[in-house]
């Protein structure tokens, strides 16, 4: 007996987005990263073309991060540089082989330290000088200051192909304009909703942001905290994109670390909950599992925190892509 | 595809003889379409009708049951490739290994850890499904003795992991009927294993690294009388798992090929890095595996893996929710605090477990917000200040307490003003954002207030 193995082909494909610019292209990055370009379901190399591997970015906060969200397990790794994002960036690049970093401006938040925009931009420039990997800059949330800060980052680091996170439905115009003017990528964030994701992409492309400069952040519900919604919304968006909907064809980015290291199942120690097992490995696996299962739903860029979790997911990606 | 009542009616004799117990053939057809009766009731049904109905009513993936009693595991009956198209029904069974050559005490301790891998999460129980007894001794008597110990000390079904039919037979003999699943049959041993499984009502897994051969073997094995069969396509890399599991699900749903409409098994090898092993399990969970056997494990793997499984197998059409109304944590009295929240299960259970941990008995007023979390409900307009205020007054909580304080979730501090307008004379207190900070809040804010 011989069976007919179904090979599913699709009319659509995912846009290719390039992060970072090297000297040849007017920047100073040591490498460029391309994501997207596939015409198959996630990691389905057996039936389609997947030209680029999913990538992982290390998240680095601009100021010492709060303990309730960066638990002792992650703090331990970066303990000598919690207050020094430049040293932190160097460490992840030099020691852990980071190919991409995500600078997260939590200190700019008016409800936290309200750091002035100029300071934030200055820090970004220092990091641009200190490491040569492509960079994502993530704001603290939404609001006018957030947009202004990201726009200023784009302006001051023009030519480096940085990625701005994130445009949301009420605050996208300033960022869209900056992305176009300074040749940056833009993350389009919507709250776990297929239609809202498409609508924001339409708004952005209407403003002339090229399709190959947009990344979709479908919003990540943490494992156990709304994860199933994210998983399915990503599958649905990806199916529509492969079906030929060009307003859905952008690669995905998921901010995984931010949803991992604040949940109860990660924070509780083995002393408090013996049957939950060692908190170190449990936390690392929580982050790795979240990321790994999102890869199955289509993630192209995963923003993570713990180097061990990152190494494990990288190892799996290698295994998938080596075929 | 399921047939409609009218399509079925056309296949029936249309004589309205009432033998089936229904007044007309049409009435019977309607019941058949609703899957409430079986075609056997009509003595005159044609072979054509039987074939058509049979094919349409059999689920594309057979239901398989492993073990017996309360902890019986049911697999299969899946109907979709993507959970949003309907739902995934029977969650991946996770079997954890215990080697038969461990010293007595360690063996028993390991089985106990597997039994106890059982957690309460969002009002549901999430647990490891089976004990996988791994044949390391290579000795039938030793294997059987260990199987007996598992049977006597664990309520869970047993997965007997041995490639040797005689050892499997010895273990089955001491554990009795319908004790679990035999894992280890290949093309060479399929017939022997099938005989043991069929005559003892055990489930069995048949393995082949060739997808083509797997279908043939599956057909032969069911023909030999095995009722509960799983198919294991084997793998070398993660890419193989994705490919094999996906293709098996597709072929099964397609119904054109015979031999693939069975739940699949994924057997993870020993000696691999524990993080990688856990990721393989999670691949099995997201990508269609019915049974996953993890021979070596650590207790820190349990929660992430079981939580992922719970998430993926939640019905996307209906969020888990609790009813609106007043709930008690501990034995609250007229001086106890009152917390306000939404009826999303996860929200409710996280809140109540933290209140429990605070040591201060309390009332919780749950507002029906269509099963949405606090912020989701608020942004969907189901948790506005006026609405919440009115609902709290209507709940009857005022009769249960002497004070006039209520605590609202920190994430919706903005509704405080409107609630004050709707609840004149009440003190609306803004609690912490995360439920985990409630014990501190009780100590620092609530108790001093009293
Ligand atoms: C999963 C999810 C959904 C799911 C719904 C899940 C559900 N059943 O509620 C879906 C995809 C359907 C959804 C839809 C929407 N969502 Co939504 N969603 C989320 C997500 C990812 C997780 C929510 C969750 O499950 N949290 C877990 C539960 C347990 O949290 P919780 O209820 O708040 O409970 C905690 C605390 O509040 C506290 N607590 C609870 N009760 C009480 C009581 C007291 C007294 C105290 C002290 C504490 C306390 O304890 C719990 C643990 O700490 C969040 C973002 C995120 N990462 O958190 C967005 C989020 C809540 N959604 C958001 C939005 C905007 C929406 C939509 C309006 C989008 C849209 N326009 O369609 C819709 C609304 C729904 C509709 N119109 O039908 C926004 C809300 C923005 C805001 N700040 O108001 C968020 C924050 C995302 C964002 N950043 O934009 N969403
Ligand atoms: S027994 Fe068969 S023929 Fe008779 S009424 Fe029922 S369906 Fe019709």
């Amino acid at each position: 007996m011989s069976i007919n193995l179904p090979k599913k082909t699709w009319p659509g494909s995912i846009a290719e987005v390039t992060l970072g610019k090297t000297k040849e292209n007017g920047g100073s990055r040591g490498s460029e990263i391309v994501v997207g370009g596939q015409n198959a379901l996630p990691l389905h190399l057996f039936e389609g073309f997947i030209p680029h591997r999913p990538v992982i970015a290390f998240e680095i906060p601009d100021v010492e991060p709060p303990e309730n969200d960066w638990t002792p397990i992650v703090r331990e790794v970066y303990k000598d540089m919690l207050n020094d994002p430049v040293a932190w960036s160097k460490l992840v690049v030099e020691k852990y082989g980071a190919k991409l970093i995500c600078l997260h401006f939590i200190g700019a938040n008016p409800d936290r330290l309200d750091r002035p925009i100029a300071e934030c931009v200055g820090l970004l420039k220092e990091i641009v000088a200190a490491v040569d990997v492509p960079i994502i800059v993530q704001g603290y949330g939404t609001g006018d200051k957030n947009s202004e800060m990201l726009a200023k980052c784009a302006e001051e680091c023009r030519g480096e192909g940085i990625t701005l996170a994130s445009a949301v439905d009420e605050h996208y115009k300033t960022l869209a304009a900056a992305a176009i003017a300074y040749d940056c990528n833009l993350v389009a964030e919507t709250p776990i909703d297929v239609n809202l994701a498409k609508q924001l992409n339409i708004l952005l492309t209407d403003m002339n942001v090229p399709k190959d400069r947009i990344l979709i952040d479908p919003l990540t519900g943490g494992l156990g905290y709304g994860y199933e919604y994210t998983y399915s919304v990503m599958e649905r968006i990806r199916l529509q994109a492969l079906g030929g909907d060009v307003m859905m064809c952008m690669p995905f980015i998921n901010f995984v670390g931010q949803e991992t290291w604040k949940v109860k199942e990660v924070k509780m120690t083995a002393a408090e909950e013996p049957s939950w097992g060692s908190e170190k490995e449990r936390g690392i696996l929580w982050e790795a599992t979240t990321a790994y299962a999102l890869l199955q739903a289509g993630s192209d860029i995963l923003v993570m925190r713990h180097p061990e979790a990152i190494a494990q997911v990288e190892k799996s990606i290698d295994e998938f892509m080596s075929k | 595809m399921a047939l409609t009542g009218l399509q079925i009616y056309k296949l029936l004799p249309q004589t309205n003889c009432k033998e089936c117990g229904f007044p007309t053939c049409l009435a019977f057809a309607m019941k058949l379409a609703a899957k409430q009766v079986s075609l056997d009731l009509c003595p005159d049904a044609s072979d054509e009708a039987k074939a058509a109905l049979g094919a349409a009513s059999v689920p594309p993936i057979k239901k398989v049951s492993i073990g017996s009693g309360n902890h019986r595991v049911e697999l299969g009956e899946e109907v979709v490739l993507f959970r949003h198209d309907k739902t995934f029904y029977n969650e991946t069974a996770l079997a954890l290994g215990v080697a038969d050559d461990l010293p007595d005490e360690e063996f028993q301790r390991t089985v106990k850890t597997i039994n106890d891998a059982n957690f309460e999460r969002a009002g549901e129980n999430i647990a490891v499904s089976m004990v996988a007894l791994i044949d390391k001794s290579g000795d039938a008597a030793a294997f059987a003795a260990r199987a007996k110990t598992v049977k006597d000390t664990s309520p869970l079904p047993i997965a007997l992991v041995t490639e040797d039919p005689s050892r499997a037979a010895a273990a089955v003999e001491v554990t009795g009927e319908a004790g679990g699943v035999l894992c280890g049959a290949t093309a060479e041993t399929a017939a022997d294993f099938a005989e043991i499984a069929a005559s003892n009502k055990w489930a069995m897994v048949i393995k082949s690294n060739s997808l083509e051969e797997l279908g043939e073997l599956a057909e032969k094995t069911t023909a030999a009388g095995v009722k509960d069969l799983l198919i294991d396509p084997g793998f070398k890399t993660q890419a193989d798992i994705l490919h094999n599991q996906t293709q098996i699900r597709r072929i099964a749903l397609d119904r054109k090929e015979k031999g693939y409409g069975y739940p699949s098994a994924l057997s993870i090898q020993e000696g691999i890095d524990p993080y990688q092993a856990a990721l393989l399990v999670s691949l099995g969970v997201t990508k269609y595996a019915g049974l996953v056997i993890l021979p070596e494990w650590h207790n820190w793997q349990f929660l992430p893996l079981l939580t992922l499984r719970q998430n993926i197998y939640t019905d996307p059409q209906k969020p888990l929710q609790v009813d609106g109304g007043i709930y008690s944590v501990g034995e609250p009295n007229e001086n106890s605090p009152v917390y306000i929240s939404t009826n999303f299960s996860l929200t409710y259970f996280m809140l109540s477990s933290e209140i429990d941990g605070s040591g201060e008995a309390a009332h919780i007023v749950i507002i029906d917000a269509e099963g949405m979390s606090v912020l989701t409900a608020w942004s969907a307009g189901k948790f506005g200040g006026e609405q919440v205020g009115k609902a709290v007054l209507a709940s009857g909580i005022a009769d249960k307490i002497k004070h006039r304080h209520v605590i609202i979730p920190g994430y919706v501090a903005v509704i405080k003003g409107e609630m004050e307008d709707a609840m004149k004379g009440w003190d609306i207190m803004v609690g912490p954002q995360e439920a985990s900070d409630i014990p501190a809040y009780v100590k620092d804010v609530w108790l001093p207030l009293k």
Side-chain angles (χ1 to χ4, degrees):
Chain A
M1 184 169 75
S2 81
I3 48 162
N4 230 332
L5 287 178
K7 281 220 162 46
K8 184 86 184 116
T9 56
W10 302 89
S13 63
I14 306 306
E16 279 186 333
V17 175
T18 305
L19 290 87
K21 285 194 195 304
T22 52
K23 223 185 230 144
E24 296 85 82
N25 294 320
S28 67
R29 303 300 81 201
S31 60
E32 296 183 1
I33 292 174
V34 187
V35 291
Q38 64 272 41
N39 66 359
L41 285 167
L43 303 167
H44 284 44
L45 280 105
F46 57 87
E47 61 186 6
F49 178 58
I50 303 187
H52 309 294
R53 53 181 277 142
V55 296
I56 302 179
F58 280 71
E59 179 185 345
I60 299 166
D62 62 338
V63 294
E64 175 162 354
E67 287 186 28
N68 62 358
D69 174 11
W70 287 76
T71 62
I73 306 299
V74 216
R75 297 177 89 79
E76 170 63 25
V77 181
Y78 305 114
K79 62 174 185 288
D80 298 328
M81 54 208 63
L82 287 170
N83 237 327
D84 185 350
V86 177
W88 191 327
S89 306
K90 281 190 176 157
L91 177 90
V92 298
V93 171
E94 285 157 19
K95 179 163 174 200
Y96 299 118
K99 292 175 244 162
L100 180 66
I101 60 173
C102 172
L103 182 60
H104 190 183
F105 280 116
I106 54 176
N109 193 337
D111 298 336
R112 284 200 181 153
L113 298 180
D114 203 11
R115 289 179 90 205
I117 290 177
E119 255 180 51
C120 300
V121 176
L123 172 64
L124 173 61
K125 285 170 119 177
E126 273 184 71
I127 290 178
V128 166
V131 296
D132 73 351
V133 297
I135 298 172
I136 301 169
V137 269
Q138 183 182 19
Y140 57 84
T142 57
D144 290 337
K145 177 179 176 191
N146 194 63
S147 306
E148 252 172 65
M149 174 186 68
L150 293 176
K152 197 75 187 157
C153 288
E155 184 182 347
E156 296 283 321
C157 296
R158 76 181 74 181
E160 295 291 356
I162 64 172
T163 299
L164 309 173
S166 305
V168 296
D169 63 354
E170 314 99 63
H171 290 91
Y172 67 89
K173 291 193 177 142
T174 313
L175 292 179
I180 297 167
Y182 309 116
D183 218 0
C184 296
N185 301 314
L186 191 53
V187 174
E189 174 197 318
T190 45
I192 320 191
D193 187 299
V194 177
N195 299 322
L196 293 178
K198 177 163 174 173
Q199 192 183 315
L200 184 55
N201 289 339
I202 293 175
L203 291 172
L204 293 174
T205 41
D206 278 354
M207 277 191 72
N208 293 322
V209 181
K211 278 202 297 290
D212 62 1
R213 297 219 152 272
I214 300 174
L215 297 167
I216 298 176
D217 174 7
L219 210 91
T220 305
L223 183 57
Y225 296 85
Y227 189 72
E228 67 276 33
Y229 294 93
T230 301
Y231 187 87
S232 284
V233 154
M234 287 173 68
E235 288 199 323
R236 290 172 62 199
I237 293 176
R238 190 45 63 86
L239 285 166
Q240 283 192 21
L242 293 173
D245 187 338
V246 292
M247 283 302 139
M248 292 293 219
C249 74
M250 300 73 175
F252 286 120
I253 181 168
N254 293 92
F255 294 90
V256 171
Q258 297 165 24
E259 300 303 321
T260 299
W261 295 98
K262 63 178 184 189
V263 309
K264 179 173 176 161
E265 288 85 343
V266 161
K267 284 184 183 167
M268 286 300 228
T269 61
E272 293 165 302
E273 288 282 357
S275 67
W276 290 14
S278 156
E279 65 267 20
K280 179 167 174 209
E281 283 85 358
R282 177 175 8 109
I284 291 170
L285 186 60
W286 203 272
E287 186 172 37
T289 309
T290 308
Y292 184 81
L294 288 176
L295 284 176
Q296 311 308 327
S299 193
D300 296 282
I301 303 177
L302 296 155
V303 183
M304 299 174 64
R305 290 183 180 171
H306 199 288
E308 181 63 34
I310 293 174
Q312 292 294 341
V313 178
E314 287 282 10
K315 196 165 156 191
S316 289
I317 296 173
D318 282 343
E319 198 174 310
F320 272 110
M321 299 302 294
S322 69
K323 262 218 153 165
Chain B
M1 279 296 104
L3 299 176
T4 64
L6 271 180
Q7 285 169 329
I8 297 173
Y9 173 70
K10 288 189 187 135
L11 296 165
L12 292 176
Q14 301 177 15
T15 54
N16 300 335
C17 76
K18 302 192 177 55
E19 278 292 317
C20 56
F22 291 88
T24 62
C25 295
L26 183 62
F28 183 57
M30 293 301 175
K31 288 284 171 191
L32 278 171
K35 300 205 165 69
Q36 290 163 349
V37 293
S38 135
L39 184 63
D40 307 344
L41 294 175
C42 170
D44 301 326
S46 67
D47 287 343
E48 186 205 354
K50 282 180 192 153
L53 258 175
S57 65
V58 174
I61 298 173
K62 217 171 156 263
K63 173 169 164 177
V64 158
S65 126
I66 301 177
S68 55
N70 282 345
H71 288 83
R72 185 176 69 232
V73 168
E74 289 187 342
L75 299 172
E77 293 193 297
E78 301 298 339
V79 294
V80 293
L81 211 45
F82 300 103
R83 61 187 288 284
H84 61 257
D85 283 335
K86 182 126 181 87
T87 183
F88 291 168
Y89 288 104
N90 285 316
E91 62 183 25
T92 308
L94 178 59
L96 297 185
V98 52
D100 73 342
D101 63 352
L102 290 181
D104 279 353
E105 206 185 313
E106 197 183 341
F107 186 87
Q108 279 164 19
R109 206 174 46 235
T110 309
V111 173
K112 182 165 180 342
T113 310
I114 299 174
N115 292 343
D116 293 346
N118 190 317
F119 311 86
E120 191 64 25
R121 206 170 181 288
E124 289 187 332
N125 206 291
I126 57 175
V128 167
S129 327
M130 287 185 223
V131 178
L133 180 67
I134 319 276
D135 171 15
K136 279 284 170 77
S137 65
D139 177 74
F143 191 60
R146 286 309 193 203
K148 181 85 171 68
T149 309
V150 177
K151 158 133 177 125
D152 293 343
T153 56
S154 175
L156 303 176
I158 311 174
L160 290 176
V161 184
T162 176
E163 291 187 346
D164 183 291
S166 61
R167 282 172 234 155
V172 165
E173 199 178 307
V174 295
T175 44
E177 276 203 349
V181 56
L182 307 179
C183 310
T186 57
E188 293 73 49
T189 52
D192 294 336
F193 271 104
E195 201 186 313
I196 308 167
S199 51
N200 295 285
K201 300 201 172 75
W202 276 60
M204 76 174 258
V205 178
I206 178 84
K207 176 173 170 178
S208 166
N209 288 327
S210 140
L211 272 182
E212 300 189 359
E213 186 188 51
L214 192 58
E216 285 171 41
L217 280 174
E219 286 305 283
K220 274 193 208 146
T221 309
T222 24
V226 174
K227 266 190 65 207
D228 297 295
L229 181 70
L230 293 95
I231 53 181
D232 178 355
F235 71 96
K236 283 208 192 67
T237 68
Q238 301 180 38
D240 296 339
I241 298 180
L242 180 66
H243 171 264
N244 296 345
Q245 299 287 339
T246 303
Q247 293 296 38
I248 287 178
R249 173 66 60 92
R250 283 179 179 169
I251 305 168
L253 296 185
D254 195 41
R255 291 176 190 268
K256 286 196 194 100
E257 305 274 357
K258 281 200 159 131
Y260 299 90
Y262 303 96
S264 59
L266 169 63
S267 189
I268 293 166
Q269 62 274 55
E270 290 175 34
I272 58 175
D273 175 275
Y275 289 115
Q276 288 297 306
L279 295 184
L280 295 184
V281 176
S282 65
L283 184 57
V285 169
T286 52
K287 292 294 163 183
Y288 318 126
L291 166 65
V292 176
I293 299 171
L294 184 63
E296 296 168 329
W297 44 269
H298 298 272
N299 60 353
W300 49 263
Q301 294 165 327
F302 297 167
L303 266 190
L305 294 176
L306 297 175
T307 303
L308 177 71
R309 184 181 73 181
Q310 183 186 36
N311 279 175
I312 296 294
Y313 279 83
T314 296
D315 185 344
Q317 260 97 39
K318 36 178 158 62
L320 297 172
Q321 40 182 288
V322 296
D323 292 332
I326 303 176
Y327 291 77
S328 305
V329 179
E331 287 173 20
N333 60 31
E334 55 199 22
N335 298 316
S336 300
V338 176
Y339 297 90
I340 314 290
S341 196
T342 73
N343 70 326
F344 183 32
S345 278
L346 183 62
T347 303
Y348 168 75
F349 284 105
M350 291 187 67
L351 177 64
S352 56
S353 86
E354 293 301 339
I355 295 175
D356 195 29
S358 77
E360 183 77 2
H363 306 279
I364 308 180
V365 178
I366 290 296
I367 313 289
D368 183 349
E370 296 175 11
M372 284 187 242
S373 78
V374 169
L375 272 180
T376 312
W378 178 76
S379 37
K382 308 282 175 206
F383 207 69
E386 197 187 327
Q387 272 164 301
V388 174
K390 284 188 177 152
V392 172
L393 292 181
S395 73
I397 187 68
D399 302 335
K400 295 192 183 251
I401 51 173
K402 269 213 225 126
H403 63 82
R404 286 296 175 261
H405 304 281
V406 294
I407 306 171
I408 60 170
Y411 281 119
V412 288
V414 291
I415 70 171
K416 177 177 154 88
E418 279 186 38
M419 270 184 80
E420 282 165 351
D421 293 342
M423 298 175 66
K424 289 272 179 295
W426 287 71
D427 175 22
I428 313 296
M429 300 169 64
V430 177
Q433 294 194 331
E434 295 298 331
S436 49
D437 294 326
I438 285 179
Y441 180 83
V442 166
K443 192 164 133 276
D444 300 340
V445 181
W446 177 259
L447 291 178
L449 183 84
K450 274 176 48 180

